[in-house]
Amino acid sequence: MSLFEKYQSILENAIKALHERSFFAQYPEHPSPKIYGETADEDGRKKFQSMVGSKFEELLQLDPENWIGTEESPYMQDRLNISYPSFSVEELINRGREGFHQWRKVSPEERAGILIESLERMKVRFFELAYATMHTTGQGYMMAFQASGPHANDRALEAIAFGFEELKRFPESVIWDKPMGKFNIKLDKSWRAVPKGIGVVIGCSTFPTWNSVPGLYANLITGNAVIVKPHPGAVLPIAMVVAEIQKVLDENGYSANICQLAVDSHDKMITKELAEHPEVKLIDYTGNSVFGSYLEGLTGKAVFTEKTGVNSVILDSVENIDKVAQNLAFSVTLYSGQMCTAPQNFYIPESGIKTPEGNISFDDFAQKFVDNINGLIDNPKAGPFVLGAIQNKNTCDRVEKSEAAGGKIWLKSRSIENPMFKNARIATPLVIEIDGSNKEEFSQELFGPITLLIKTKNTDYSIELAKDMAINHGAISCGAYTTDPVIKEKIADEMSLAATPVSFNLVGGIYLNQHAGFSDFHVTGGNPAGNASFTNPEYVIKRFTWVGFREPVSS
Amino acid sequence: MSLFEKYQSILENAIKALHERSFFAQYPEHPSPKIYGETADEDGRKKFQSMVGSKFEELLQLDPENWIGTEESPYMQDRLNISYPSFSVEELINRGREGFHQWRKVSPEERAGILIESLERMKVRFFELAYATMHTTGQGYMMAFQASGPHANDRALEAIAFGFEELKRFPESVIWDKPMGKFNIKLDKSWRAVPKGIGVVIGCSTFPTWNSVPGLYANLITGNAVIVKPHPGAVLPIAMVVAEIQKVLDENGYSANICQLAVDSHDKMITKELAEHPEVKLIDYTGNSVFGSYLEGLTGKAVFTEKTGVNSVILDSVENIDKVAQNLAFSVTLYSGQMCTAPQNFYIPESGIKTPEGNISFDDFAQKFVDNINGLIDNPKAGPFVLGAIQNKNTCDRVEKSEAAGGKIWLKSRSIENPMFKNARIATPLVIEIDGSNKEEFSQELFGPITLLIKTKNTDYSIELAKDMAINHGAISCGAYTTDPVIKEKIADEMSLAATPVSFNLVGGIYLNQHAGFSDFHVTGGNPAGNASFTNPEYVIKRFTWVGFREPVSS
């Protein structure tokens, strides 16, 4: 049985799910021993520990020029001392070219089988991957498991499914039979989906697999070779993914050069040299806007970016203010605001928020919100695990700077103790009040645990500000609370023009930070937060070119 | 009955045809009195004649700032003196914005009905349109009828069909129902296909409708407002299309500002001002590469270009050399080489072309080719009608310059008499021999009736040159003649990497210049000849953004 036959039903279900957009998950998100095995967690932790201080020797990339690695655990604030093979850009490109010319001739079915097999192999390493993610990104255990493991795998499968569908969208060949009156002109026509060449996937430090696998798998399903350039601070999780892909390729007779890892270090970054190389035709990037916009400006390449933005919450009217405050407190605390979808700017009318019991004032809401944050972070069974650790100490500096910048401080950022990691780099959410007229104070992304409560004239002005931020500075998510259908439609309409998805009236166990595979399009491509959306059709079709051939039917 | 219901079966057949890619045509290409009516031709001619020397008053664009028009007939080398309403860029944008906010809220079904109705209205004006096209572009009667009328209509319908399919590809709303163990999280989710804004469609002087209607209709079906900026030398044909769209919009209660015509003149072009306007989010362009590349470099816009290229013919081996020479002679003579798909560089091995009767030498083929061209142009029943007239006198200057540039001249360009138009600007094909080693002499587009016979070492080198030209200078078509399946696959594979469609072994009444709607993707987007292909999925999906909304299901 071929790998395609083995996984055909997974692929078909995934393609169906793409169109249904209702709940679908191939990989269970709960780290349950019943699903993953009684010893899976313990085994994974030990495997991760055995990697610390060692060479990562799983990659099938022979003859490295060097072994390098600079990762540090945000939980231990100490080096992991894991080293990876490194190569010059020219060598990576030479190998990638070789891989490309082999891979481009492989059928979509064969590619899909190999790629799904690699996901199945990752599945048995989800716990190991979770620990690797915790100790590079600072994510809490649960998020590290879910985001890097099952959710990333689902996003990868989504890209495979969409790519496969697009590759099969037109017939491979037809007879074109045109009546000309007394005779017909008949042509044999055929089409090939020609991949673009070598793609570079540039990873970020906070979601090293979740943000990188959609582009990686989208490139591979459409026949391109890939060079994965991880963030020097978060290599291990994606190195494991690349290693599994290489092993499956190799076992099936294909070159590991089809998917390479390109590790660099902060003092000698190779990203620009890679991106600018004329043979690199595709770039996927997650990270800061300055570098993202530079990449988007490169000519002769298809570039897919997820950059930064200013995410808003519009508060107009609610059913239950306590549930809202609780939900939003969790949203800003989760991974200390280090998610690209985390809300930052909260727009609250100066007259307060309407509730069935009458208006709740700006100050009363602010206090409720702060109380809920404190309740969460001071709960020793929740706080440390929801917060995780701060990936980059620059984020701590940004928090300090914001605290000193003026504005009424409703809640200072502080550190709390993580019972398992005494040295963890922790910063709890800072909450500041700003007046809506001081627009320059809230017109930028403040990455990390920084929340701005912005007092506006009224909800119309809140909407105007949220739209303005999205159009001019980008936005990936928006939360809105209103019980008024007219205002709701106005928010939906105005934010749609700013290409920002809106989560209305979320309370309970679902948060605006969460974008689900096979249902939510993550980033829309319509505002400065990014030019790509995974996984919409554009995300895959720009990775190949339809080329047609025709010839008179031989009589 | 709504317009959508009226045209639903046309739309459904068109969507089906998109996927079958076999022969499909909604609008009959033959100017037959049986199809179009006994007096249709005569009526159309008279209507066109009545427009000459007049104001074009069909547009529903009120209060023009001026009436301008500079068109000249290449057949009469005299001004048409037709004038059109003109407006400042700011006024066009203001009106376009108003149109956009109305049109974006119209359903895909309603838009499709209105747009197909406009095509049905054009159908009864095909003859009028043909004369308007002849006397602006210089096309022969048959080409003017087919390209501007039925073929353009089919291309427009193709864009409508693809846009409609993409707009309906995902559900408008679903319930997302995620099992969480003891309970489910249920969200109402919905999505909107949000159009980008105002699109500008920049026309060319040679195919004023065929090259412009795909982008025009792709913008409109996806809910954008459009400003059509025709070439100052070829306004009338597309003015008629815009007028029909405006009339249908108006009759159905929509603003004519949804689709405006923006006429300018050579001495005061408004294209850059329009293209650079921040509210213009979409640009469609056909024309020279320098301006096209400038447009592609504009940030914050989705740009679709068809630029210039160097189209090749690779001659290796043939079944019947006479049929090949005849087919290619027609290809270079048709509309005097002023088609973007016309072949320019013919690569012929120095050892000649293999035939069942032995090799035919380079010189013998050149002579056959020239004899066929002469036979065609000297046939008074064919020559003037196939050649048409030269749209722009710069093309005549280019022919003269090429003739003087060196290289063995196999056939001089000359004028012939057009029995109907004594003043027609005519230039027959120039055929020059160039050695394959003088690459700089054939590494550029020589727009117009200029054919280069290039002597190469062998077919492998011919393929290398054709691929090199396409990758570095662009190519929209490629002809190849080989009876060897190994060489055929090599040509297909190498040209596919240069994103160039290949027509193999064409003889008889089908020519490599012709790209059929609903089957051939015109331009691929994969080489410098253009970044767009009509109509592939990318051509429509970049014109809108998917934006999602979600909310807990109210219990």
Side-chain angles (χ1 to χ4, degrees):
Chain A
M1 185 161 72
S2 72
L3 287 176
F4 176 67
E5 286 161 342
K6 187 173 170 189
Y7 297 122
Q8 191 164 6
S9 69
I10 290 183
L11 182 64
E12 283 167 2
N13 286 338
I15 291 172
K16 194 160 154 273
L18 281 182
H19 293 277
E20 294 181 343
R21 305 209 80 73
S22 186
F23 179 74
F24 173 85
Q26 177 63 32
Y27 296 96
E29 72 175 1
H30 201 276
S32 152
K34 280 184 198 156
I35 298 165
Y36 289 101
E38 287 299 326
T39 63
D41 187 359
E42 174 70 10
D43 295 348
R45 193 168 52 80
K46 283 186 183 157
K47 272 201 185 164
F48 165 70
Q49 284 167 340
S50 75
M51 288 174 172
V52 174
S54 307
K55 281 186 177 178
F56 184 81
E57 295 190 297
E58 290 188 49
L59 297 165
L60 304 180
Q61 295 176 240
L62 303 181
D63 307 320
E65 287 155 32
N66 214 337
W67 287 84
I68 59 173
T70 57
E71 291 161 296
E72 286 180 22
S73 166
Y75 284 102
M76 305 189 287
Q77 299 207 52
D78 199 7
R79 299 187 76 133
L80 295 179
N81 288 316
I82 306 173
S83 61
Y84 306 87
S86 81
F87 303 85
S88 71
V89 165
E90 219 39 55
E91 180 63 21
L92 291 163
I93 298 291
N94 286 339
R95 293 184 184 194
R97 188 189 310 118
E98 185 263 330
F100 170 64
H101 285 295
Q102 187 181 73
W103 189 238
R104 71 182 176 88
K105 296 188 176 175
V106 175
S107 73
E109 287 80 3
E110 173 90 348
R111 288 183 207 145
I114 285 170
L115 296 175
I116 298 176
E117 168 74 9
S118 73
L119 298 180
E120 292 292 305
R121 302 250 184 128
M122 283 315 297
K123 188 179 171 184
V124 303
R125 300 185 74 178
F126 279 172
F127 287 89
E128 195 183 339
L129 188 58
Y131 289 104
T133 299
M134 283 180 73
H135 288 285
T136 48
T137 68
Q139 287 178 25
Y141 171 80
M142 186 62 93
M143 179 184 284
F145 181 87
Q146 294 184 337
S148 267
H151 292 175
N153 259 31
D154 279 339
R155 282 290 184 188
L157 180 61
E158 190 183 28
I160 295 168
F162 232 132
F164 190 83
E165 173 165 279
E166 288 293 339
L167 292 170
K168 307 298 278 184
R169 197 161 177 193
F170 301 111
E172 279 177 47
S173 63
V174 299
I175 291 183
W176 186 80
D177 190 352
K178 179 180 180 179
M180 299 293 288
K182 290 179 183 156
F183 64 101
N184 280 19
I185 293 177
K186 289 190 187 187
L187 296 177
D188 275 321
K189 293 195 178 188
S190 62
W191 292 271
R192 296 183 191 179
V194 182
K196 293 273 170 98
I198 298 173
V200 169
V201 176
I202 303 166
C204 66
S205 62
T206 46
F207 288 89
T209 73
W210 194 88
N211 270 103
S212 289
V213 296
L216 168 54
Y217 280 84
N219 274 345
L220 289 174
I221 188 65
T222 51
N224 300 282
V226 187
I227 297 170
V228 177
K229 212 303 289 175
H231 191 283
V235 178
L236 184 56
I238 195 72
M240 290 166 61
V241 174
V242 172
E244 289 304 326
I245 294 171
Q246 290 183 348
K247 285 180 235 172
V248 183
L249 285 169
D250 184 63
E251 287 165 26
N252 287 277
Y254 299 106
S255 168
N257 292 337
I258 291 162
C259 179
Q260 301 175 84
L261 189 73
V263 178
D264 62 1
S265 57
H266 287 290
D267 58 333
K268 202 189 166 196
M269 303 279 276
I270 60 171
T271 322
K272 278 193 167 188
E273 193 185 345
L274 264 176
E276 291 174 9
H277 196 286
E279 288 188 62
V280 169
K281 302 294 186 188
L282 297 155
I283 298 172
D284 285 83
Y285 169 78
T286 312
N288 73 66
S289 289
V290 175
F291 199 77
S293 299
Y294 145 78
L295 291 171
E296 288 172 4
L298 295 175
T299 54
K301 296 161 201 283
V303 180
F304 304 84
T305 64
E306 177 190 319
K307 301 182 290 185
T308 58
V310 178
N311 300 326
S312 296
V313 175
I314 298 165
L315 287 148
D316 172 68
S317 47
V318 303
E319 280 291 340
N320 183 321
I321 195 71
D322 292 305
K323 284 189 182 174
V324 171
Q326 188 179 36
N327 185 280
L328 291 172
F330 190 89
S331 264
V332 301
T333 307
L334 187 60
Y335 189 29
S336 312
Q338 296 170 98
M339 298 178 79
C340 55
T341 48
Q344 173 186 302
N345 287 6
F346 288 57
Y347 303 104
I348 306 163
E350 58 190 19
S351 59
I353 301 162
K354 294 185 274 294
T355 81
E357 296 79 33
N359 274 22
I360 179 160
S361 72
F362 182 97
D363 284 3
D364 285 351
F365 174 75
Q367 193 56 53
K368 250 187 216 300
F369 178 59
V370 160
D371 290 346
N372 271 281
I373 295 173
N374 280 329
L376 180 59
I377 60 183
D378 291 337
N379 176 349
K381 288 188 179 164
F385 311 107
V386 173
L387 280 167
I390 301 293
Q391 204 280 332
N392 188 323
K393 69 176 162 45
N394 292 339
T395 302
C396 299
D397 300 343
R398 190 177 304 111
V399 172
E400 276 179 33
K401 213 175 138 193
S402 295
E403 205 161 288
K408 177 176 172 184
I409 295 172
W410 278 92
L411 183 64
K412 283 198 169 196
S413 177
R414 55 197 163 95
S415 190
I416 60 163
E417 188 175 306
N418 183 314
M420 297 170 75
F421 302 104
K422 302 292 173 195
N423 279 332
R425 188 193 291 126
I426 291 174
T428 67
L430 166 70
V431 180
I432 307 176
E433 176 181 333
I434 295 182
D435 193 81
S437 58
N438 300 332
K439 209 162 140 184
E440 72 288 353
E441 291 178 26
F442 55 85
S443 295
Q444 57 176 309
E445 188 188 53
L446 300 165
F447 185 80
I450 301 167
T451 302
L452 310 180
L453 303 182
I454 297 158
K455 192 179 277 183
T456 69
K457 282 179 298 195
N458 51 42
T459 295
D460 279 351
Y461 190 55
S462 296
I463 299 170
E464 192 183 316
L465 286 171
K467 183 184 179 188
D468 178 281
M469 289 299 134
I471 286 178
N472 292 300
H473 307 285
I476 294 175
S477 69
C478 174
Y481 291 86
T482 182
T483 56
D484 180 332
V486 175
I487 292 174
K488 189 176 154 191
E489 175 52 31
K490 182 173 180 184
I491 292 171
D493 192 49
E494 294 292 329
M495 293 310 291
S496 81
L497 292 170
T500 307
V502 184
S503 300
F504 286 101
N505 302 323
L506 291 189
V507 290
I510 183 93
Y511 307 98
L512 69 90
N513 317 42
Q514 299 167 322
H515 282 173
F518 291 97
S519 184
D520 299 313
F521 295 113
H522 178 69
V523 195
T524 62
N527 67 48
N531 71 358
S533 177
F534 47 85
T535 300
N536 74 7
E538 189 177 350
Y539 194 71
V540 295
I541 62 175
K542 286 163 84 172
R543 298 174 197 266
F544 65 92
T545 305
W546 284 110
V547 180
F549 306 94
R550 52 188 193 172
E551 181 172 18
V553 173
S554 45
S555 44
Chain B
M1 186 161 71
S2 71
L3 286 176
F4 176 68
E5 286 161 342
K6 187 172 171 190
Y7 297 123
Q8 192 166 4
S9 68
I10 290 182
L11 183 64
E12 283 167 2
N13 286 338
I15 290 173
K16 193 160 156 272
L18 281 183
H19 292 277
E20 293 180 344
R21 305 208 81 73
S22 186
F23 179 75
F24 173 86
Q26 178 63 32
Y27 298 95
E29 72 174 2
H30 201 277
S32 152
K34 281 185 200 157
I35 298 166
Y36 289 101
E38 287 300 327
T39 63
D41 186 0
E42 174 70 8
D43 294 349
R45 192 167 53 78
K46 283 185 182 156
K47 272 202 184 164
F48 165 70
Q49 283 166 343
S50 74
M51 288 174 173
V52 173
S54 308
K55 281 185 176 177
F56 184 81
E57 296 189 295
E58 290 188 50
L59 295 166
L60 305 180
Q61 296 176 237
L62 303 181
D63 307 320
E65 289 155 30
N66 215 339
W67 287 85
I68 59 174
T70 57
E71 292 161 295
E72 287 181 24
S73 167
Y75 283 103
M76 305 190 288
Q77 299 207 49
D78 200 6
R79 298 187 76 131
L80 296 180
N81 288 317
I82 306 173
S83 61
Y84 305 87
S86 80
F87 303 85
S88 71
V89 165
E90 219 40 53
E91 181 63 21
L92 291 163
I93 297 290
N94 286 339
R95 294 185 183 193
R97 188 190 310 120
E98 184 263 329
F100 170 64
H101 285 294
Q102 187 180 74
W103 189 238
R104 71 182 177 87
K105 296 186 177 177
V106 176
S107 73
E109 287 80 4
E110 173 90 349
R111 288 182 207 145
I114 286 170
L115 296 175
I116 298 175
E117 169 72 10
S118 74
L119 298 180
E120 292 293 303
R121 304 251 183 126
M122 284 315 297
K123 187 178 173 185
V124 303
R125 302 185 72 177
F126 279 172
F127 288 90
E128 194 183 341
L129 189 57
Y131 289 104
T133 300
M134 282 181 74
H135 287 285
T136 48
T137 68
Q139 288 178 25
Y141 171 79
M142 185 62 93
M143 180 184 285
F145 181 87
Q146 294 185 336
S148 268
H151 291 175
N153 260 30
D154 279 339
R155 282 290 185 187
L157 181 60
E158 190 183 27
I160 295 168
F162 233 132
F164 190 83
E165 173 166 279
E166 289 292 340
L167 293 171
K168 306 298 277 184
R169 196 161 177 194
F170 301 112
E172 280 178 45
S173 64
V174 299
I175 292 183
W176 186 81
D177 191 351
K178 179 181 178 179
M180 298 294 287
K182 291 180 184 156
F183 65 102
N184 280 19
I185 293 177
K186 289 190 189 189
L187 296 177
D188 274 321
K189 293 195 178 189
S190 62
W191 291 270
R192 296 184 191 179
V194 182
K196 294 273 170 98
I198 299 173
V200 169
V201 175
I202 305 165
C204 66
S205 62
T206 46
F207 288 89
T209 73
W210 193 89
N211 270 105
S212 290
V213 296
L216 167 54
Y217 281 83
N219 274 345
L220 289 174
I221 187 65
T222 50
N224 300 282
V226 187
I227 297 170
V228 177
K229 213 303 290 177
H231 191 283
V235 178
L236 185 57
I238 195 74
M240 291 166 61
V241 174
V242 172
E244 289 304 327
I245 293 171
Q246 290 183 347
K247 285 179 235 171
V248 183
L249 284 170
D250 185 62
E251 287 166 26
N252 287 277
Y254 299 107
S255 168
N257 291 338
I258 292 163
C259 179
Q260 299 175 86
L261 189 73
V263 178
D264 63 0
S265 57
H266 288 291
D267 58 335
K268 202 191 166 195
M269 303 279 275
I270 60 170
T271 322
K272 278 193 169 188
E273 194 185 342
L274 266 177
E276 290 175 9
H277 196 287
E279 289 187 62
V280 169
K281 302 295 186 188
L282 297 155
I283 299 172
D284 286 84
Y285 169 79
T286 313
N288 72 66
S289 289
V290 175
F291 199 76
S293 299
Y294 145 78
L295 291 171
E296 290 172 2
L298 295 175
T299 53
K301 296 161 200 284
V303 180
F304 304 84
T305 64
E306 177 190 319
K307 301 182 291 185
T308 57
V310 178
N311 300 325
S312 296
V313 175
I314 298 165
L315 288 148
D316 171 70
S317 47
V318 302
E319 280 292 339
N320 183 320
I321 195 71
D322 292 307
K323 286 188 179 172
V324 171
Q326 189 179 37
N327 185 282
L328 290 172
F330 189 89
S331 262
V332 302
T333 307
L334 185 61
Y335 189 29
S336 310
Q338 295 170 99
M339 299 176 78
C340 56
T341 45
Q344 172 185 301
N345 287 5
F346 288 57
Y347 303 104
I348 305 162
E350 59 190 17
S351 59
I353 300 161
K354 293 183 275 293
T355 81
E357 297 80 34
N359 275 21
I360 178 159
S361 72
F362 180 98
D363 284 4
D364 285 353
F365 173 76
Q367 193 56 54
K368 250 186 215 300
F369 178 60
V370 160
D371 290 347
N372 271 282
I373 295 172
N374 279 329
L376 179 60
I377 61 184
D378 290 338
N379 176 349
K381 289 188 178 163
F385 312 107
V386 174
L387 279 167
I390 301 291
Q391 203 280 333
N392 188 324
K393 66 176 164 45
N394 292 341
T395 301
C396 299
D397 300 342
R398 190 177 305 112
V399 171
E400 276 180 33
K401 212 176 137 193
S402 294
E403 204 160 289
K408 178 176 173 183
I409 295 172
W410 278 92
L411 183 63
K412 283 197 169 197
S413 178
R414 56 198 163 95
S415 191
I416 62 164
E417 188 176 304
N418 184 313
M420 298 169 74
F421 303 103
K422 302 293 175 195
N423 278 333
R425 188 192 293 128
I426 291 174
T428 67
L430 166 70
V431 181
I432 308 176
E433 176 182 333
I434 295 182
D435 193 82
S437 57
N438 300 331
K439 208 163 142 184
E440 72 287 354
E441 290 178 26
F442 54 86
S443 296
Q444 57 177 308
E445 188 187 52
L446 300 165
F447 185 80
I450 302 167
T451 301
L452 310 179
L453 303 181
I454 298 159
K455 191 180 277 183
T456 68
K457 282 179 298 196
N458 52 43
T459 294
D460 279 350
Y461 190 55
S462 296
I463 300 169
E464 191 183 318
L465 286 171
K467 183 185 179 186
D468 179 282
M469 289 300 134
I471 286 178
N472 292 300
H473 307 286
I476 293 175
S477 68
C478 174
Y481 291 86
T482 181
T483 56
D484 181 332
V486 175
I487 291 174
K488 189 176 155 192
E489 174 53 31
K490 182 175 179 182
I491 293 171
D493 192 50
E494 294 292 328
M495 293 310 289
S496 81
L497 291 171
T500 309
V502 184
S503 301
F504 286 100
N505 303 321
L506 292 189
V507 290
I510 182 92
Y511 307 98
L512 68 92
N513 317 41
Q514 299 167 322
H515 281 174
F518 291 96
S519 183
D520 299 312
F521 295 112
H522 178 69
V523 193
T524 61
N527 68 48
N531 70 359
S533 176
F534 46 85
T535 301
N536 74 9
E538 189 177 349
Y539 194 70
V540 294
I541 61 173
K542 286 163 83 173
R543 299 174 197 265
F544 65 92
T545 304
W546 284 110
V547 180
F549 305 95
R550 53 186 193 174
E551 181 174 16
V553 172
S554 47
S555 44

